[in-house]
Amino acid sequence: MSPESKKLFNIIILGIAFMFMFTAFQTCGNVAQTVIKSLNNTDFHGSGYTSMAIIYGVFSASNLITPSVVAIVGPQLSMFASGLFYSMYIAVFIQPFPWSFYTASVFIGIAAAESDRRTVFIALTVISLIGTVLFFLIRKPDSANVLGEDESSDDQDMEVNESAQNNMTKAVDAFKKSLKLCVTKEMLLLSITTAYTGLELTFFSGVYGTCIGAVNKFGTEEKSLIGLSGIFIGIGEILGGSLFGLLSKNNRFGRNPVVLLGILVHFIAFYLIFLNMPGDAPIAPIEGTDSSAYIQSSKEVAIFCSFLLGLGDSCFNTQLLSILGFLYSEDSAPAFAVFKFVQSICAAVAFFYSNYLLLHWQLLVMVIFGFFGTISFFAVEWEAAAIVARGSDYRSI
């Protein structure tokens, strides 16, 4: 297999593996709070919001050391171990206990009826494990220097020792670079934007589905609408990723218009959700809420807002990844580690306060961070445009 074919094969395997893993995990996260509320009538007592807060809290701390770990053990084993932790978290829902539920939430950061619930989560666990096993199909790139037959074993041992020392040096350097990047002007500005993506990630991946499932005025379909909401969030993500990710190389107007579109789409979604959903929906008991919204709660509006949430999120994430790849093209791993650190810690904070804040306060927090995050992104983008004016190829990323 040629080097080019091997790269393409690895990309395809990675795509399929992550599709399996995150289909299972995102589905699990979307229904976690609703499922756990139904279990709180038994001997189990827990919170899906608290679980997700633990996941993203540990995930945020882990991101600063992740480049170092990958440098030592390699990407293949790192992804396999992470996949096992994801699968373990999903499997806990088959027969949950509070201690195992929250313990699994810690490990994953480092990396209806009773029978119906078990069947669903057994299926999700199997799907996640399939994606995890697929990582073993990744082909290692050909070594640039192949040992000759005439080389002695002493030379080989020396090269092995030097390789181990190089890996440790790379690990330390990666950690230092991550810390230094945290205090640069560009990263501080982008951190505001990244913080917003963490807050809205929490909202559309865990809170909004819970809100839909808690509205009794949706009738007997309220719980099934959670799955439909997740589907339309995915449709919005796919559409936005296709338009603003794959076609970004032909974008002559820069990244600011896409981010502006994203924040406008989100503000429209937030306003419609504010009107369409009862204020106590995020923290409603298992019986749901009969409270009235500002308008007659509509299932169609609720699902349309799911689409808008996914579309707006794709606008922000495609452009954030794009500008990080442009500004830190020479060594992007520490930059993306800082990006995931900020995003994850804000997601953890948002999942924590989702246990207590009414819907309109959660929306207000996102509006404030969204506004200032957009302004800060514009500032960095204008600086990137100035770099282009000095001769860099802005559209080569």
Side-chain angles (χ1 to χ4, degrees):
M1 184 180 290
S2 65
E4 291 76 13
S5 300
K6 190 174 291 186
K7 288 180 180 178
L8 179 60
F9 177 80
N10 287 345
I11 291 172
I12 294 173
I13 291 298
L14 282 172
I16 296 175
F18 282 121
M19 179 187 72
F20 277 108
M21 272 180 46
F22 285 103
T23 294
F25 176 69
Q26 295 289 6
T27 302
C28 184
N30 200 30
V31 301
Q33 179 68 2
T34 300
V35 171
I36 290 169
K37 283 196 300 185
S38 68
L39 292 170
N40 281 338
N41 293 329
T42 64
D43 293 334
F44 179 89
H45 296 283
S47 168
Y49 292 152
T50 302
S51 168
M52 298 300 288
I54 293 172
I55 288 174
Y56 282 101
V58 178
F59 186 31
S60 65
S62 302
N63 271 298
L64 291 179
I65 63 172
T66 296
S68 303
V69 174
V70 174
I72 295 174
V73 303
Q76 190 174 43
L77 286 178
S78 299
M79 290 186 292
F80 177 74
S82 299
L84 290 180
F85 287 133
Y86 274 106
S87 302
M88 180 178 70
Y89 172 76
I90 298 168
V92 166
F93 281 89
I94 299 173
Q95 185 58 53
F97 299 95
W99 65 267
S100 62
F101 182 60
Y102 291 134
T103 302
S105 299
V106 170
F107 279 113
I108 196 174
I110 299 177
E114 182 81 8
S115 60
D116 290 341
R117 190 197 74 247
R118 289 182 177 178
T119 301
V120 168
F121 285 104
I122 288 173
L124 291 177
T125 303
V126 171
I127 291 171
S128 179
L129 287 172
I130 291 174
T132 302
V133 172
L134 285 175
F135 287 130
F136 281 119
L137 297 179
I138 295 175
R139 306 287 183 87
K140 293 183 178 180
D142 297 328
S143 177
N145 298 316
V146 181
L147 293 173
E149 295 180 359
D150 57 340
E151 290 184 326
S152 66
S153 59
D154 291 339
D155 293 335
Q156 294 181 27
D157 291 340
M158 186 179 298
E159 291 192 6
V160 170
N161 291 333
E162 290 178 354
S163 176
Q165 291 176 355
N166 289 336
N167 284 340
M168 185 60 65
T169 302
K170 289 179 181 178
V172 175
D173 289 342
F175 182 71
K176 289 180 179 179
K177 287 180 180 178
S178 297
L179 294 180
K180 289 179 179 179
L181 278 177
C182 290
V183 295
T184 60
K185 173 187 173 183
E186 293 80 9
M187 191 58 72
L188 287 174
L189 287 171
L190 288 177
S191 292
I192 304 175
T193 316
T194 304
Y196 170 67
T197 64
L199 298 179
E200 52 98 5
L201 167 67
T202 293
F203 186 76
F204 77 75
S205 67
V207 177
Y208 188 56
T210 302
C211 292
I212 292 176
V215 180
N216 291 336
K217 293 184 178 180
F218 287 156
T220 56
E221 299 177 349
E222 57 183 14
K223 297 297 187 290
S224 62
L225 286 175
I226 299 176
L228 191 60
S229 170
I231 291 173
F232 274 85
I233 289 173
I235 293 174
E237 296 275 10
I238 294 170
L239 179 61
S242 302
L243 290 177
F244 309 123
L246 299 178
L247 303 179
S248 61
K249 290 187 177 181
N250 297 321
N251 181 13
R252 295 178 295 174
F253 304 102
R255 305 176 182 86
N256 282 348
V258 179
V259 172
L260 180 61
L261 173 64
I263 197 63
L264 290 177
V265 166
H266 270 176
F267 280 178
I268 292 172
F270 297 158
Y271 181 65
L272 291 176
I273 292 170
F274 173 74
L275 295 177
N276 193 53
M277 291 286 173
D280 60 345
I283 55 176
I286 182 58
E287 295 81 12
T289 176
D290 293 309
S291 301
S292 298
Y294 288 95
I295 62 174
Q296 181 67 33
S297 295
S298 167
K299 293 179 286 188
E300 292 76 16
V301 173
I303 298 302
F304 178 63
C305 289
S306 300
F307 170 77
L308 294 181
L309 290 173
L311 179 62
D313 178 69
S314 67
C315 292
F316 274 94
N317 278 292
T318 55
Q319 303 314 300
L320 270 172
L321 295 177
S322 174
I323 200 168
L324 285 173
F326 174 73
L327 293 174
Y328 307 100
S329 58
E330 297 298 323
D331 191 10
S332 59
F336 285 104
V338 174
F339 164 73
K340 294 303 295 183
F341 168 77
V342 175
Q343 186 183 61
S344 301
I345 200 168
C346 290
V349 171
F351 272 115
F352 176 76
Y353 69 58
S354 295
N355 281 303
Y356 309 102
L357 291 187
L358 296 175
L359 179 61
H360 56 274
W361 292 117
Q362 296 191 37
L363 293 174
L364 179 61
V365 170
M366 289 190 291
V367 167
I368 294 172
F369 272 87
F371 175 78
F372 287 106
T374 302
I375 298 300
S376 64
F377 185 93
F378 285 176
V380 178
E381 171 67 0
W382 288 327
E383 185 173 334
I387 296 175
V388 176
R390 294 195 293 267
S392 299
D393 185 4
Y394 179 67
R395 292 182 290 169
S396 64
I397 56 176

